[in-house]
Amino acid sequence: MARWKRLLAVVCALAGARSLDAQAVRGELVEGASGRPVAGAFVVLLDAAGKQVGGGFTDAAGGFLVQAPAPGSYTLRAERVGYAAARSPALRLAAGQTLAYGLETSGAAVQLEGLVVQAEKRRCAALPEAGEQTAALWEEARKALGAAAWTESRRRFRYSIQQHERVMDVALRVQSEQGRRLVGYAGSPFVAAPAERLAREGFTRQEGDSTVYYGPDAAVLLSDEFLDTHCFRVQQGEGETRGMVGLAFEPVRGRRLADVRGALWIDPRSAELRHLEFQYTGLELRGATDRLGGRVEFERLPGGEWIVPRWRIRVPVVGTDTLRVAANQFERRRIAGIREAAGEVLEVRSPSGELIRSTARASLAGVVWDSTRAAPLAGARVRLAGTAVEAETDAEGRFRIADVSEGRFSVVFTHPRADSLEYAGRPVAVELRRGADNQVRLAVPPLAVVLAGRCSPAERRAGTGVVAGTVRQEGAVPPPGTPVLLTWAAAGTAPAGRALAWTDAGGRYVACAVPPGVAVQARAGPAGSVAAEVRAAADRPTLHDLALPAPRAVVLEGLAVTAPAPEGRAVRAGGTRTDLVLRSEIEALRSVAGHVGDLVRRFPGVAVQEDYANSGAGIVQGVCVVERRKMLGNPCAAVIIDDVEVVEGMRELISRPLSEIESVQFIPSVAAMGRYGTAARGGALVIYTAGKGPHARRPGS
């Protein structure tokens, strides 16, 4: 009786109001046994053919209002995810009529727990032919999808949405990212093509040189076209979906178009749809195509409405490989990377501005430490590689990056201290998740480790060690390019050998490929200076500092000398730096330099990498000179001797006698390519032999 009184009050309230232009049904949904109103249920209006033509959610008092598009016969169906539906008999609506009707629901819960028993072994069948278990899952998924589609179509809520586009490698590590934040009334944030076109043309479409990839939204999944071209089965959840029940789908047998397969994942306890995952099928690409596809999450709001709070779609960055078989040539397309478009709803507000829901975003915190000084690194810039997201460390080396998207990132940092050490820190991989305590520790490693990073992989081969350190002269830094010579006698299986290094602007040096455990004599400065003994470790770089003897004072009274610039220093010509060493200095260095590579080790911005033979320790078979700022993946500098490029340049640098060389000059890649073409994309090492070149000493000079 109380229910009918409430319904009568609703009708009476309308008596004095202006008639609605359209016909509608207004009423209340209650539980039959208790008479309690049911809030947040989705009341659907079906026409005579069973097609949905209207709908609406019940309010806190169970009230609803659904409008019909035209006069005629209609049926009401009240749906709640996880509960049995209630249905009215056929209702006749006249033009402009508002009919009062009350609905009762039994309140019986749908039982999905324990549903999956041998179900995943059944054949995949078209949904109308599917078994009882599959039909039960589809019914609950359909309720959520239908409510989500209706919510989106009404544009009822004001969203704050964070969108991003990323380029990732095949391991899903972010390489670059662009993001934007949108605020406003929105329908579906995840838009698909019309279902009939997807069924006819597939889920990809060629537009000029580009391929457009589509994903299925709620409307597509509910369409007859999708149901006709896909079959379904029940699937047991594993890993992330453990404990869930999946309604898996895949294209029907014989379908040749690019399509999608995937699953709708449902919580069996509440019968609520959690998310959709899908992958593309029928793509003619080499690589892990299972990483291509998307994910759409679903969430029920307190008022019963369903929204898509997060979504993503991943498509391939296509590369081409050329395959030659006999006289024929073929091209094969492969996945070279992955492009991701994704979004996340940060806030949902009612039209009046009331906050309905908000999302906690991911964050990253950590500390940056300077191991060379055993102190925190203040003022370091910490950045998620490939993005504009960054933070600065405080006086204790701590930082925090808030309000970022989930994903796999590489964290990098920069600081003048690291720059002075020529240390480019290795990116640290992190996987950011919402609500998790994402922490990372970054550091400039100990000095010996930093300097050892200047050795090439060939020089850091197994069975050798690294000796590095700092050279000081009466507490000060000696001039850059001060030679450090390490020598050792034959011991055990290690033959006698030598290694030459040069100090940088900070007085630091590194000697690579030193035999471990052997007594090594290390001396800094010219031959005859005091040598110190050191033994290199096999498992880690060895730190060994050296001291130069104090320079002897020379007094020349009354002598005035105008000194020219040192022959071998770096000079600038036309805005491009050139590094040059001339004959007189080569003669002075012959006592410590073993090959041409030793002459250029002290050039600023240049690294010398020695290539060792596979057999026998300490045997150098080639030398590669690279620009230090481009060491990763950069080719060796081209070797130009007397204006002719040498094909076997690496071998030439160790075989050419120093006594034959007039000058050696390094030209950076930008200037070198303008002079020697793409062969010099790693720079050029220009060598002139005796009596040749612009710096040759002419008779009588």
Side-chain angles (χ1 to χ4, degrees):
M1 180 63 69
R3 178 174 70 87
W4 294 112
K5 286 182 179 179
R6 288 194 299 269
L7 181 57
L8 181 60
V10 171
V11 176
C12 291
L14 293 172
R18 180 177 58 87
S19 297
L20 296 175
D21 294 334
Q23 43 287 325
V25 179
R26 183 183 291 270
E28 185 182 36
L29 176 66
V30 298
E31 288 185 355
S34 65
R36 290 194 299 266
V38 178
F42 187 42
V43 180
V44 182
L45 188 66
L46 307 174
D47 64 12
K51 181 180 180 181
Q52 177 180 335
V53 293
F57 289 92
T58 59
D59 59 22
F64 62 86
L65 172 66
V66 292
Q67 294 183 338
S73 179
Y74 297 94
T75 302
L76 291 174
R77 186 179 68 217
E79 300 178 343
R80 281 189 299 165
V81 173
Y83 293 89
R87 192 181 183 98
S88 75
L91 304 174
R92 187 73 189 177
L93 287 177
Q97 179 187 8
T98 297
L99 177 66
Y101 188 84
L103 272 174
E104 288 187 358
T105 178
S106 66
V110 174
Q111 299 296 324
L112 293 184
E113 292 189 87
L115 190 65
V116 184
V117 180
Q118 304 297 326
E120 57 190 347
K121 295 184 179 179
R122 297 182 180 180
R123 71 181 182 89
C124 180
L127 198 56
E129 304 172 1
E132 179 181 349
Q133 297 183 1
T134 307
L137 281 178
W138 171 246
E139 178 64 14
E140 297 310 307
R142 184 198 58 76
K143 293 177 186 178
L145 292 171
W150 187 88
T151 303
E152 293 164 356
S153 67
R154 292 302 182 270
R155 304 175 68 89
R156 295 183 58 189
F157 299 111
R158 186 177 180 87
Y159 293 95
S160 175
I161 299 174
Q162 179 70 36
Q163 293 182 340
H164 70 249
E165 293 185 5
R166 293 172 175 169
V167 175
M168 304 182 291
D169 61 17
V170 292
L172 302 181
R173 290 185 293 262
V174 177
Q175 305 298 302
S176 65
E177 178 182 278
Q178 291 182 334
R180 60 175 180 167
R181 186 163 295 189
L182 305 175
V183 177
Y185 291 94
S188 172
F190 184 91
V191 180
E196 59 273 15
R197 192 173 86 187
L198 296 175
R200 184 178 64 253
E201 301 177 5
F203 279 74
T204 65
R205 185 177 184 180
Q206 200 68 29
E207 294 185 359
D209 296 334
S210 302
T211 302
V212 179
Y213 293 77
Y214 297 101
D217 62 2
V220 168
L221 294 168
L222 290 168
S223 67
D224 292 338
E225 290 85 357
F226 189 84
L227 299 181
D228 290 342
T229 55
H230 293 78
C231 59
F232 299 80
R233 61 184 172 84
V234 179
Q235 181 174 324
Q236 185 70 49
E238 297 179 356
E240 180 191 0
T241 58
R242 182 177 296 277
M244 296 186 185
V245 183
L247 180 62
F249 58 86
E250 61 188 50
V252 295
R253 185 173 299 178
R255 185 165 169 81
R256 303 299 182 188
L257 297 172
D259 213 299
V260 291
R261 61 178 174 85
L264 293 155
W265 290 101
I266 298 171
D267 184 344
R269 293 176 294 276
S270 64
E272 291 189 346
L273 175 63
R274 295 304 186 198
H275 67 272
L276 155 72
E277 288 183 331
F278 67 91
Q279 297 85 39
Y280 290 105
T281 64
L283 303 180
E284 297 180 356
L285 290 173
R286 295 176 59 243
T289 56
D290 59 337
R291 294 179 178 173
L292 307 177
R295 177 185 174 106
V296 184
E297 298 183 18
F298 298 90
E299 183 178 316
R300 182 180 181 275
L301 296 180
E305 301 91 346
W306 284 77
I307 66 169
V308 174
R310 280 171 290 276
W311 69 97
R312 71 163 183 254
I313 184 169
R314 291 170 176 168
V315 301
V317 176
V318 178
T320 303
D321 293 329
T322 301
L323 180 66
R324 291 181 174 84
V325 179
N328 300 317
Q329 180 172 304
F330 305 92
E331 287 190 349
R332 296 190 301 183
R333 300 172 62 202
R334 60 179 173 83
I335 301 173
I338 295 175
R339 188 179 299 275
E340 177 185 89
E344 182 175 21
V345 175
L346 305 181
E347 285 186 352
V348 180
R349 293 183 179 272
S350 68
S352 63
E354 178 188 359
L355 180 64
I356 297 175
R357 77 174 291 278
S358 62
T359 299
R361 299 258 284 165
S363 63
L364 177 67
V367 64
V368 183
W369 186 259
D370 183 2
S371 300
T372 65
R373 295 174 174 173
L377 198 60
R381 303 296 301 179
V382 182
R383 181 170 52 88
L384 298 183
T387 76
V389 179
E390 65 177 19
E392 183 172 326
T393 59
D394 60 17
E396 296 180 349
R398 301 187 181 279
F399 70 92
R400 180 176 180 80
I401 300 176
D403 194 26
V404 294
S405 302
E406 287 186 308
R408 298 178 184 176
F409 294 90
S410 295
V411 185
V412 296
F413 73 92
T414 57
H415 191 274
R417 172 63 177 168
D419 294 342
S420 70
L421 294 171
E422 298 182 14
Y423 173 70
R426 293 183 179 180
V428 176
V430 296
E431 184 164 2
L432 302 184
R433 297 186 179 275
R434 292 190 314 276
D437 186 20
N438 300 296
Q439 298 281 333
V440 67
R441 183 180 175 88
L442 307 171
V444 177
L447 181 60
V449 176
V450 172
L451 296 176
R454 301 179 184 179
C455 299
S456 68
E459 293 169 327
R460 294 293 305 273
R461 68 193 189 284
T464 65
V466 174
V467 176
T470 303
V471 178
R472 289 289 183 266
Q473 188 173 44
E474 292 189 332
V477 177
T482 298
V484 176
L485 179 64
L486 284 74
T487 58
W488 56 89
T493 59
R498 61 197 297 279
L500 178 64
W502 305 92
T503 60
D504 61 16
R508 298 173 289 263
Y509 77 94
V510 57
C512 314
V514 178
V518 175
V520 175
Q521 302 298 316
R523 59 168 53 88
S529 60
V530 179
E533 184 176 293
V534 60
R535 294 179 184 267
D539 57 344
R540 63 187 183 280
T542 301
L543 183 66
H544 187 72
D545 295 334
L546 295 170
L548 272 173
R552 290 181 299 173
V554 177
V555 179
L556 298 176
E557 296 184 7
L559 179 62
V561 179
T562 301
E567 289 180 335
R569 75 172 186 177
V571 297
R572 289 188 178 271
T576 302
R577 189 185 70 193
T578 59
D579 292 288
L580 178 67
V581 59
L582 301 181
R583 181 69 209 157
S584 59
E585 192 168 8
I586 294 174
E587 285 294 331
L589 295 173
R590 284 180 61 185
S591 62
V592 294
H595 49 69
V596 177
D598 288 339
L599 299 178
V600 302
R601 288 184 188 274
R602 58 179 173 168
F603 287 176
V606 170
V608 178
Q609 302 173 349
E610 294 179 331
D611 183 25
Y612 288 82
N614 293 328
S615 59
I619 302 176
V620 180
Q621 62 179 6
V623 170
C624 173
V625 178
V626 297
E627 291 183 86
R628 191 178 298 281
R629 63 186 178 91
K630 297 183 179 180
M631 284 179 65
L632 294 178
N634 203 55
C636 302
V639 177
I640 313 295
I641 298 182
D642 294 339
D643 296 323
V644 177
E645 181 184 355
V646 179
V647 177
E648 293 291 333
M650 289 183 64
R651 294 183 182 275
E652 183 68 26
L653 293 183
I654 63 169
S655 61
R656 173 71 60 172
L658 300 184
S659 60
E660 298 179 1
I661 297 177
E662 186 73 47
S663 65
V664 181
Q665 180 181 8
F666 179 79
I667 303 177
S669 56
V670 175
M673 285 193 292
R675 186 181 303 182
Y676 302 107
T678 56
R681 62 185 183 276
L685 198 66
V686 180
I687 301 173
Y688 286 100
T689 57
K692 299 178 181 179
H695 303 287
R697 296 191 177 188
R698 309 302 179 189
S701 63

mmCIF file of all heavy atoms in Angstrom, residues 124 216 221 226 230-235 246-251 259-265 275-281 294:
data_model
loop_
_atom_site.group_PDB
_atom_site.id
_atom_site.type_symbol
_atom_site.label_atom_id
_atom_site.label_comp_id
_atom_site.label_asym_id
_atom_site.label_seq_id
_atom_site.Cartn_x
_atom_site.Cartn_y
_atom_site.Cartn_z
ATOM 1 N N CYS A 124 33.990 -23.178 -29.197
ATOM 2 C CA CYS A 124 33.522 -21.799 -29.294
ATOM 3 C C CYS A 124 32.305 -21.781 -30.207
ATOM 4 O O CYS A 124 32.363 -22.266 -31.343
ATOM 5 C CB CYS A 124 34.633 -20.918 -29.860
ATOM 6 S SG CYS A 124 34.200 -19.194 -30.039
ATOM 7 N N PRO A 216 36.752 -2.141 -30.253
ATOM 8 C CA PRO A 216 35.319 -2.300 -30.004
ATOM 9 C C PRO A 216 34.879 -1.540 -28.756
ATOM 10 O O PRO A 216 35.456 -1.699 -27.688
ATOM 11 C CB PRO A 216 35.173 -3.807 -29.806
ATOM 12 C CG PRO A 216 36.485 -4.230 -29.231
ATOM 13 C CD PRO A 216 37.531 -3.322 -29.825
ATOM 14 N N LEU A 221 30.108 -4.063 -29.199
ATOM 15 C CA LEU A 221 29.983 -5.371 -28.557
ATOM 16 C C LEU A 221 28.530 -5.818 -28.445
ATOM 17 O O LEU A 221 28.239 -7.018 -28.469
ATOM 18 C CB LEU A 221 30.628 -5.335 -27.176
ATOM 19 C CG LEU A 221 32.149 -5.137 -27.156
ATOM 20 C CD1 LEU A 221 32.619 -4.821 -25.745
ATOM 21 C CD2 LEU A 221 32.864 -6.360 -27.689
ATOM 22 N N PHE A 226 28.409 -7.772 -34.503
ATOM 23 C CA PHE A 226 29.517 -8.369 -33.756
ATOM 24 C C PHE A 226 29.157 -9.784 -33.304
ATOM 25 O O PHE A 226 29.982 -10.701 -33.386
ATOM 26 C CB PHE A 226 29.866 -7.502 -32.544
ATOM 27 C CG PHE A 226 31.128 -7.906 -31.839
ATOM 28 C CD1 PHE A 226 32.358 -7.478 -32.284
ATOM 29 C CD2 PHE A 226 31.092 -8.748 -30.732
ATOM 30 C CE1 PHE A 226 33.535 -7.851 -31.647
ATOM 31 C CE2 PHE A 226 32.253 -9.134 -30.082
ATOM 32 C CZ PHE A 226 33.479 -8.684 -30.544
ATOM 33 N N HIS A 230 31.356 -13.351 -34.426
ATOM 34 C CA HIS A 230 32.232 -13.845 -33.363
ATOM 35 C C HIS A 230 31.546 -14.975 -32.611
ATOM 36 O O HIS A 230 30.316 -15.024 -32.528
ATOM 37 C CB HIS A 230 32.601 -12.714 -32.391
ATOM 38 C CG HIS A 230 33.469 -11.666 -33.010
ATOM 39 N ND1 HIS A 230 32.977 -10.687 -33.839
ATOM 40 C CD2 HIS A 230 34.816 -11.461 -32.937
ATOM 41 C CE1 HIS A 230 33.968 -9.920 -34.249
ATOM 42 N NE2 HIS A 230 35.089 -10.358 -33.724
ATOM 43 N N CYS A 231 32.358 -15.867 -32.088
ATOM 44 C CA CYS A 231 31.838 -16.926 -31.234
ATOM 45 C C CYS A 231 32.402 -16.754 -29.830
ATOM 46 O O CYS A 231 33.385 -16.044 -29.627
ATOM 47 C CB CYS A 231 32.163 -18.303 -31.801
ATOM 48 S SG CYS A 231 33.917 -18.637 -32.003
ATOM 49 N N PHE A 232 31.751 -17.416 -28.861
ATOM 50 C CA PHE A 232 32.021 -17.135 -27.450
ATOM 51 C C PHE A 232 32.217 -18.426 -26.671
ATOM 52 O O PHE A 232 31.701 -19.487 -27.052
ATOM 53 C CB PHE A 232 30.850 -16.340 -26.846
ATOM 54 C CG PHE A 232 30.624 -15.015 -27.499
ATOM 55 C CD1 PHE A 232 29.937 -14.922 -28.708
ATOM 56 C CD2 PHE A 232 31.103 -13.852 -26.931
ATOM 57 C CE1 PHE A 232 29.728 -13.700 -29.321
ATOM 58 C CE2 PHE A 232 30.898 -12.626 -27.533
ATOM 59 C CZ PHE A 232 30.205 -12.548 -28.736
ATOM 60 N N ARG A 233 32.945 -18.317 -25.567
ATOM 61 C CA ARG A 233 33.117 -19.439 -24.649
ATOM 62 C C ARG A 233 33.494 -18.886 -23.276
ATOM 63 O O ARG A 233 33.939 -17.742 -23.151
ATOM 64 C CB ARG A 233 34.194 -20.410 -25.139
ATOM 65 C CG ARG A 233 35.569 -19.794 -25.275
ATOM 66 C CD ARG A 233 36.575 -20.788 -25.853
ATOM 67 N NE ARG A 233 37.834 -20.147 -26.155
ATOM 68 C CZ ARG A 233 38.816 -19.943 -25.270
ATOM 69 N NH1 ARG A 233 38.662 -20.356 -24.020
ATOM 70 N NH2 ARG A 233 39.941 -19.358 -25.623
ATOM 71 N N VAL A 234 33.326 -19.702 -22.261
ATOM 72 C CA VAL A 234 33.695 -19.322 -20.901
ATOM 73 C C VAL A 234 35.179 -19.610 -20.690
ATOM 74 O O VAL A 234 35.693 -20.625 -21.153
ATOM 75 C CB VAL A 234 32.841 -20.091 -19.874
ATOM 76 C CG1 VAL A 234 33.239 -19.702 -18.453
ATOM 77 C CG2 VAL A 234 31.367 -19.814 -20.109
ATOM 78 N N GLN A 235 35.869 -18.709 -19.988
ATOM 79 C CA GLN A 235 37.318 -18.846 -19.782
ATOM 80 C C GLN A 235 37.659 -18.607 -18.323
ATOM 81 O O GLN A 235 37.096 -17.719 -17.674
ATOM 82 C CB GLN A 235 38.057 -17.830 -20.666
ATOM 83 C CG GLN A 235 39.575 -17.894 -20.545
ATOM 84 C CD GLN A 235 40.245 -16.975 -21.553
ATOM 85 O OE1 GLN A 235 39.773 -16.808 -22.673
ATOM 86 N NE2 GLN A 235 41.347 -16.368 -21.148
ATOM 87 N N GLY A 246 35.816 -15.171 -17.370
ATOM 88 C CA GLY A 246 35.933 -14.485 -18.644
ATOM 89 C C GLY A 246 34.957 -15.004 -19.670
ATOM 90 O O GLY A 246 34.743 -16.220 -19.788
ATOM 91 N N LEU A 247 34.358 -14.094 -20.412
ATOM 92 C CA LEU A 247 33.561 -14.458 -21.578
ATOM 93 C C LEU A 247 34.431 -14.157 -22.788
ATOM 94 O O LEU A 247 34.526 -13.016 -23.244
ATOM 95 C CB LEU A 247 32.259 -13.662 -21.623
ATOM 96 C CG LEU A 247 31.339 -13.964 -22.812
ATOM 97 C CD1 LEU A 247 30.886 -15.420 -22.794
ATOM 98 C CD2 LEU A 247 30.132 -13.035 -22.813
ATOM 99 N N ALA A 248 35.128 -15.184 -23.277
ATOM 100 C CA ALA A 248 36.083 -15.016 -24.362
ATOM 101 C C ALA A 248 35.353 -14.992 -25.701
ATOM 102 O O ALA A 248 34.338 -15.663 -25.886
ATOM 103 C CB ALA A 248 37.113 -16.136 -24.337
ATOM 104 N N PHE A 249 35.887 -14.226 -26.639
ATOM 105 C CA PHE A 249 35.316 -14.161 -27.988
ATOM 106 C C PHE A 249 36.443 -14.173 -29.009
ATOM 107 O O PHE A 249 37.572 -13.776 -28.728
ATOM 108 C CB PHE A 249 34.451 -12.904 -28.158
ATOM 109 C CG PHE A 249 35.173 -11.616 -27.909
ATOM 110 C CD1 PHE A 249 35.897 -10.979 -28.915
ATOM 111 C CD2 PHE A 249 35.143 -11.016 -26.646
ATOM 112 C CE1 PHE A 249 36.572 -9.794 -28.672
ATOM 113 C CE2 PHE A 249 35.814 -9.830 -26.404
ATOM 114 C CZ PHE A 249 36.529 -9.214 -27.417
ATOM 115 N N GLU A 250 36.125 -14.640 -30.199
ATOM 116 C CA GLU A 250 37.084 -14.673 -31.296
ATOM 117 C C GLU A 250 36.318 -14.707 -32.608
ATOM 118 O O GLU A 250 35.123 -15.060 -32.628
ATOM 119 C CB GLU A 250 37.998 -15.890 -31.195
ATOM 120 C CG GLU A 250 37.285 -17.216 -31.254
ATOM 121 C CD GLU A 250 38.203 -18.382 -30.957
ATOM 122 O OE1 GLU A 250 38.918 -18.342 -29.938
ATOM 123 O OE2 GLU A 250 38.193 -19.330 -31.757
ATOM 124 N N PRO A 251 36.963 -14.324 -33.714
ATOM 125 C CA PRO A 251 36.252 -14.331 -34.996
ATOM 126 C C PRO A 251 35.784 -15.743 -35.354
ATOM 127 O O PRO A 251 36.434 -16.734 -35.018
ATOM 128 C CB PRO A 251 37.298 -13.821 -35.989
ATOM 129 C CG PRO A 251 38.307 -13.110 -35.157
ATOM 130 C CD PRO A 251 38.346 -13.818 -33.848
ATOM 131 N N ASP A 259 40.677 -8.577 -37.455
ATOM 132 C CA ASP A 259 39.583 -8.603 -36.492
ATOM 133 C C ASP A 259 40.154 -8.541 -35.084
ATOM 134 O O ASP A 259 41.339 -8.230 -34.896
ATOM 135 C CB ASP A 259 38.739 -9.865 -36.688
ATOM 136 C CG ASP A 259 37.269 -9.633 -36.377
ATOM 137 O OD1 ASP A 259 36.974 -9.282 -35.215
ATOM 138 O OD2 ASP A 259 36.429 -9.800 -37.277
ATOM 139 N N VAL A 260 39.316 -8.839 -34.102
ATOM 140 C CA VAL A 260 39.749 -8.824 -32.706
ATOM 141 C C VAL A 260 39.294 -10.096 -32.007
ATOM 142 O O VAL A 260 38.264 -10.676 -32.347
ATOM 143 C CB VAL A 260 39.191 -7.596 -31.948
ATOM 144 C CG1 VAL A 260 39.820 -6.320 -32.439
ATOM 145 C CG2 VAL A 260 37.677 -7.535 -32.028
ATOM 146 N N ARG A 261 40.098 -10.503 -31.052
ATOM 147 C CA ARG A 261 39.718 -11.558 -30.125
ATOM 148 C C ARG A 261 40.043 -11.051 -28.728
ATOM 149 O O ARG A 261 40.888 -10.171 -28.553
ATOM 150 C CB ARG A 261 40.474 -12.856 -30.400
ATOM 151 C CG ARG A 261 41.986 -12.739 -30.253
ATOM 152 C CD ARG A 261 42.657 -14.076 -30.500
ATOM 153 N NE ARG A 261 44.100 -13.949 -30.500
ATOM 154 C CZ ARG A 261 44.869 -13.980 -29.420
ATOM 155 N NH1 ARG A 261 44.311 -14.134 -28.224
ATOM 156 N NH2 ARG A 261 46.171 -13.857 -29.512
ATOM 157 N N GLY A 262 39.387 -11.597 -27.736
ATOM 158 C CA GLY A 262 39.641 -11.120 -26.388
ATOM 159 C C GLY A 262 38.676 -11.713 -25.395
ATOM 160 O O GLY A 262 38.153 -12.816 -25.597
ATOM 161 N N ALA A 263 38.412 -10.980 -24.316
ATOM 162 C CA ALA A 263 37.521 -11.485 -23.271
ATOM 163 C C ALA A 263 36.949 -10.323 -22.477
ATOM 164 O O ALA A 263 37.608 -9.291 -22.276
ATOM 165 C CB ALA A 263 38.258 -12.442 -22.344
ATOM 166 N N LEU A 264 35.712 -10.514 -22.033
ATOM 167 C CA LEU A 264 35.063 -9.631 -21.067
ATOM 168 C C LEU A 264 35.214 -10.290 -19.708
ATOM 169 O O LEU A 264 34.764 -11.427 -19.505
ATOM 170 C CB LEU A 264 33.588 -9.455 -21.416
ATOM 171 C CG LEU A 264 33.299 -8.702 -22.715
ATOM 172 C CD1 LEU A 264 31.941 -9.104 -23.266
ATOM 173 C CD2 LEU A 264 33.353 -7.205 -22.463
ATOM 174 N N TRP A 265 35.847 -9.601 -18.765
ATOM 175 C CA TRP A 265 36.163 -10.199 -17.469
ATOM 176 C C TRP A 265 35.180 -9.703 -16.406
ATOM 177 O O TRP A 265 34.991 -8.505 -16.224
ATOM 178 C CB TRP A 265 37.598 -9.877 -17.069
ATOM 179 C CG TRP A 265 38.577 -10.602 -17.942
ATOM 180 C CD1 TRP A 265 39.276 -10.100 -18.982
ATOM 181 C CD2 TRP A 265 38.906 -11.986 -17.854
ATOM 182 N NE1 TRP A 265 40.040 -11.077 -19.562
ATOM 183 C CE2 TRP A 265 39.841 -12.256 -18.889
ATOM 184 C CE3 TRP A 265 38.525 -13.025 -17.017
ATOM 185 C CZ2 TRP A 265 40.386 -13.505 -19.096
ATOM 186 C CZ3 TRP A 265 39.068 -14.283 -17.214
ATOM 187 C CH2 TRP A 265 39.989 -14.512 -18.247
ATOM 188 N N HIS A 275 36.518 -5.409 -16.922
ATOM 189 C CA HIS A 275 37.223 -4.835 -18.060
ATOM 190 C C HIS A 275 37.138 -5.747 -19.276
ATOM 191 O O HIS A 275 36.799 -6.926 -19.173
ATOM 192 C CB HIS A 275 38.692 -4.537 -17.730
ATOM 193 C CG HIS A 275 39.544 -5.750 -17.482
ATOM 194 N ND1 HIS A 275 39.673 -6.334 -16.243
ATOM 195 C CD2 HIS A 275 40.310 -6.493 -18.317
ATOM 196 C CE1 HIS A 275 40.482 -7.373 -16.318
ATOM 197 N NE2 HIS A 275 40.882 -7.488 -17.578
ATOM 198 N N LEU A 276 37.440 -5.148 -20.395
ATOM 199 C CA LEU A 276 37.542 -5.834 -21.679
ATOM 200 C C LEU A 276 38.989 -5.765 -22.139
ATOM 201 O O LEU A 276 39.620 -4.704 -22.085
ATOM 202 C CB LEU A 276 36.634 -5.151 -22.711
ATOM 203 C CG LEU A 276 37.010 -5.316 -24.192
ATOM 204 C CD1 LEU A 276 36.728 -6.740 -24.658
ATOM 205 C CD2 LEU A 276 36.275 -4.304 -25.059
ATOM 206 N N GLU A 277 39.515 -6.896 -22.577
ATOM 207 C CA GLU A 277 40.835 -6.939 -23.207
ATOM 208 C C GLU A 277 40.675 -7.528 -24.593
ATOM 209 O O GLU A 277 39.919 -8.482 -24.776
ATOM 210 C CB GLU A 277 41.814 -7.780 -22.390
ATOM 211 C CG GLU A 277 42.273 -7.132 -21.105
ATOM 212 C CD GLU A 277 43.303 -7.965 -20.364
ATOM 213 O OE1 GLU A 277 43.267 -9.204 -20.497
ATOM 214 O OE2 GLU A 277 44.122 -7.381 -19.646
ATOM 215 N N PHE A 278 41.392 -6.974 -25.560
ATOM 216 C CA PHE A 278 41.309 -7.523 -26.913
ATOM 217 C C PHE A 278 42.660 -7.415 -27.610
ATOM 218 O O PHE A 278 43.491 -6.557 -27.280
ATOM 219 C CB PHE A 278 40.223 -6.816 -27.733
ATOM 220 C CG PHE A 278 40.511 -5.374 -28.051
ATOM 221 C CD1 PHE A 278 41.171 -5.016 -29.224
ATOM 222 C CD2 PHE A 278 40.124 -4.363 -27.183
ATOM 223 C CE1 PHE A 278 41.435 -3.691 -29.518
ATOM 224 C CE2 PHE A 278 40.385 -3.027 -27.463
ATOM 225 C CZ PHE A 278 41.040 -2.696 -28.640
ATOM 226 N N GLN A 279 42.884 -8.305 -28.548
ATOM 227 C CA GLN A 279 44.074 -8.309 -29.395
ATOM 228 C C GLN A 279 43.621 -8.391 -30.848
ATOM 229 O O GLN A 279 42.563 -8.942 -31.153
ATOM 230 C CB GLN A 279 45.002 -9.497 -29.082
ATOM 231 C CG GLN A 279 45.582 -9.501 -27.689
ATOM 232 C CD GLN A 279 44.654 -10.134 -26.686
ATOM 233 O OE1 GLN A 279 44.003 -11.132 -26.984
ATOM 234 N NE2 GLN A 279 44.574 -9.572 -25.491
ATOM 235 N N TYR A 280 44.471 -7.852 -31.728
ATOM 236 C CA TYR A 280 44.154 -7.898 -33.149
ATOM 237 C C TYR A 280 44.536 -9.252 -33.738
ATOM 238 O O TYR A 280 45.527 -9.875 -33.334
ATOM 239 C CB TYR A 280 44.886 -6.788 -33.897
ATOM 240 C CG TYR A 280 44.351 -5.417 -33.582
ATOM 241 C CD1 TYR A 280 45.057 -4.553 -32.753
ATOM 242 C CD2 TYR A 280 43.130 -4.999 -34.083
ATOM 243 C CE1 TYR A 280 44.562 -3.297 -32.450
ATOM 244 C CE2 TYR A 280 42.623 -3.747 -33.779
ATOM 245 C CZ TYR A 280 43.341 -2.906 -32.959
ATOM 246 O OH TYR A 280 42.850 -1.669 -32.643
ATOM 247 N N THR A 281 43.745 -9.706 -34.688
ATOM 248 C CA THR A 281 44.029 -10.945 -35.408
ATOM 249 C C THR A 281 44.092 -10.627 -36.896
ATOM 250 O O THR A 281 43.585 -9.602 -37.353
ATOM 251 C CB THR A 281 42.931 -11.994 -35.162
ATOM 252 O OG1 THR A 281 41.682 -11.512 -35.699
ATOM 253 C CG2 THR A 281 42.755 -12.270 -33.678
ATOM 254 N N GLY A 294 43.999 -3.686 -27.074
ATOM 255 C CA GLY A 294 43.585 -2.654 -26.138
ATOM 256 C C GLY A 294 42.933 -3.201 -24.897
ATOM 257 O O GLY A 294 42.771 -4.417 -24.714
#
